[in-house]
Amino acid sequence: MSSDILVHTEAGVSTITFNRVEKKNSISSAMYAAMADAVEQAAADSAVRVLMIQGDATIFSAGNDLGDFLNAPPAGQDSPVFRFMRALSTFAKPVVAAVCGPAVGIGTTLLFHCDIVVAGDNAAFSMPFVNLGLCPEFGSSMLVPQMFGYHRAAEALLLGEPFMAEAALEVGLVNRVVPPTECNAIAQGLARKLAAKPITALVETKRLMRKSAVAQLPERIAEEGASFSRMLREPAAREAFTAFMEKRKPDFSKV
């Protein structure tokens, strides 16, 4: 298990914690592998009744570690990032998330696969895929319009600009907004409350609520993944990533 990902199980709740604050909890391939393992183990362990995902009071996740991502881009559906996506999107038990500070890219899109999300009042959500010359991922091209409505989804996905906790509460992405220093504890309390309920009822209720989306989700995630991988090799993405590494504004006028 990567030391950048901590996993702790207590009182029926398996908690995954991003533990790379010095790198803004940016997610490396090794971290994706550790998270995929943790989610798969939680799914198989009958003692685990609820999964929780959390970060630090100052940062949830800056998304992909771009250096690691460029050096070792995902290679097929068995790559760590796709393993994690598959494990979380098919997880049958309740998932609770606690989000404080920036939640960028997959830091936001993974929340659409959670059941209860508690946000610190410092949370800032963004899906800046277009700004990197890429397309949405993790089913977000389907799930964001379903939750936000088309026009708000278009603003979030086409402009890729951050929106704050109160806006996320308004569109239904988060359940409540709390002080950042209390966020993880409040979310953990909700997770333990869920863990005390009958697991068969929790699983069946979640299955019924998500039935229509789940039927289409694997195909959409696979389609997004194929487009994402193709676009990663195209001029717009190369310019975006080069500009990021060179700490300059990208110029898309010739791509």
Side-chain angles (χ1 to χ4, degrees), residues 57-123:
T58 62
I59 177 77
F60 185 64
S61 174
N64 285 318
D65 180 317
L66 292 184
D68 180 82
F69 192 70
L70 289 173
N71 290 331
Q77 292 299 309
D78 291 328
S79 63
V81 62
F82 286 116
R83 278 187 57 223
F84 170 66
M85 288 183 181
R86 189 161 54 247
L88 186 60
S89 64
T90 59
F91 193 77
K93 306 170 193 179
V95 184
V96 177
V99 184
C100 297
V104 181
I106 199 166
T108 290
T109 61
L110 72 81
L111 302 175
F112 292 93
H113 302 276
C114 298
D115 302 295
I116 295 178
V117 180
V118 180
D121 59 24
N122 63 342

Side-chain angles (χ1 to χ4, degrees), residues 156-169:
L157 290 171
L158 296 178
L159 288 175
E161 295 175 349
F163 54 97
M164 304 307 289
E166 290 297 336
L169 182 65

